[in-house]
Amino acid sequence: MVTSVSDGKLFLLTGPSGVGKGTLIKTLLSRHPEIWLSISATTRQPRDGEIDARHYYFMSRAEFSELASQGGFLEWAEFAGNFYGTPSKEVRERLSSGRPVLLEIELEGARQVRGSFPEALQIFVAPPSFEELERRIRGRATDSEEAIAQRLFRANEELSSQNEFDAIVINDDLQRAIEEIERLIGLVN
Ligand code: ADP
Ligand code: 5GP
């Protein structure tokens, strides 16, 4: 039997860079190994410690464009000078096998998914304040000053879009935020 998205198995997290999406997802996956996290493709350079086909499929712009032109992405967008996209094949396969699928993508991609998968639950992760967001991006110490500036600029646009989402979770206390996400996606009562 093909499990459709209307069964409520596609979930999406969006939020400004540095808000803590990766941290939340790591904990969520360790508590709920049945969730399958989609691995995105990107043209950005790997950060220290990032592994191809595990954190991202790292691609050249030519490879990315080729896959996009073949209709291989569920959605894709440009973010801070690089392309990012969700390869559709694996997502559709996992949904068909009945697994909950989680996407972690930026605003433009979330808007595309809203068009193609209106039943997907879209959660926006917000910071307690803009100052705290900047502290977290800088504290992570993975990005250049230019990349940080681009991400903070984009964060303003993302934060003003939060009311488009099905739910807003403020990542103040990590544990509390995880529990709220678990309730939203129906993993606990
Ligand atoms: P994103 O994936 O949204 O870009 P990360 O998960 O990389 O963000 O988190 C950015 C930084 O913020 C990391 O250093 C992380 O440890 C920290 N962080 C995440 N959640 C919290 C939280 N609730 N309180 C304080 N720091 C946090
Ligand atoms: P980073 O470079 O920090 O890993 O990611 C930058 C932004 O790209 C984040 O907001 C992240 O959610 C977003 N992103 C990651 N993968 C995808 C994807 O497949 N599609 C889209 N649209 N955005 C993505």
Side-chain angles (χ1 to χ4, degrees):
M1 189 194 84
V2 174
T3 304
S4 71
V5 180
S6 59
D7 290 331
K9 293 220 168 15
L10 184 63
F11 307 102
L12 182 156
L13 284 194
T14 295
S17 182
V19 74
K21 301 180 297 297
T23 310
L24 288 164
I25 287 171
K26 205 170 153 202
T27 309
L28 198 63
L29 295 181
S30 71
R31 287 163 62 134
H32 305 281
E34 71 275 21
I35 298 175
W36 185 75
L37 175 67
S38 166
I39 303 169
S40 297
T42 184
T43 61
R44 95 154 154 67
Q45 291 299 309
R47 295 179 179 135
D48 276 355
E50 282 185 333
I51 298 163
D52 186 41
R54 182 155 146 215
H55 297 96
Y56 279 106
Y57 295 110
F58 293 101
M59 290 184 180
S60 66
R61 285 189 164 241
E63 287 168 330
F64 193 99
S65 302
E66 174 67 19
L67 192 53
S69 69
Q70 292 166 0
F73 290 120
L74 210 65
E75 59 70 37
W76 66 270
E78 189 168 359
F79 180 94
N82 291 296
F83 294 125
Y84 294 81
T86 305
S88 60
K89 188 165 170 278
E90 288 185 298
V91 170
R92 292 184 191 283
E93 283 171 2
R94 295 307 189 292
L95 287 172
S96 295
S97 72
R99 271 184 91 172
V101 170
L102 178 63
L103 309 182
E104 191 252 278
I105 65 178
E106 54 68 68
L107 177 61
E108 291 307 323
R111 286 177 171 155
Q112 292 169 42
V113 173
R114 215 170 286 152
S116 47
F117 295 100
E119 278 88 11
L121 179 72
Q122 299 214 346
I123 300 171
F124 188 91
V125 183
S129 67
F130 199 82
E131 291 68 32
E132 173 62 13
L133 179 68
E134 181 163 0
R135 245 193 312 278
R136 287 185 194 172
I137 295 189
R138 292 189 181 284
R140 187 170 61 183
T142 51
D143 299 301
S144 66
E145 196 53 43
E146 188 193 355
I148 289 172
Q150 283 177 318
R151 278 149 201 272
L152 289 173
F153 179 76
R154 182 74 174 243
N156 276 308
E157 188 196 349
E158 302 208 306
L159 288 170
S160 63
S161 78
Q162 46 187 293
N163 289 330
E164 293 175 19
F165 285 77
D166 297 316
I168 301 168
V169 172
I170 298 173
N171 182 20
D172 39 17
D173 175 72
L174 192 69
Q175 189 60 28
R176 194 208 60 75
I178 286 164
E179 286 168 10
E180 193 177 345
I181 292 171
E182 285 179 330
R183 270 194 302 278
L184 284 165
I185 65 183
L187 294 169
V188 289
N189 292 319

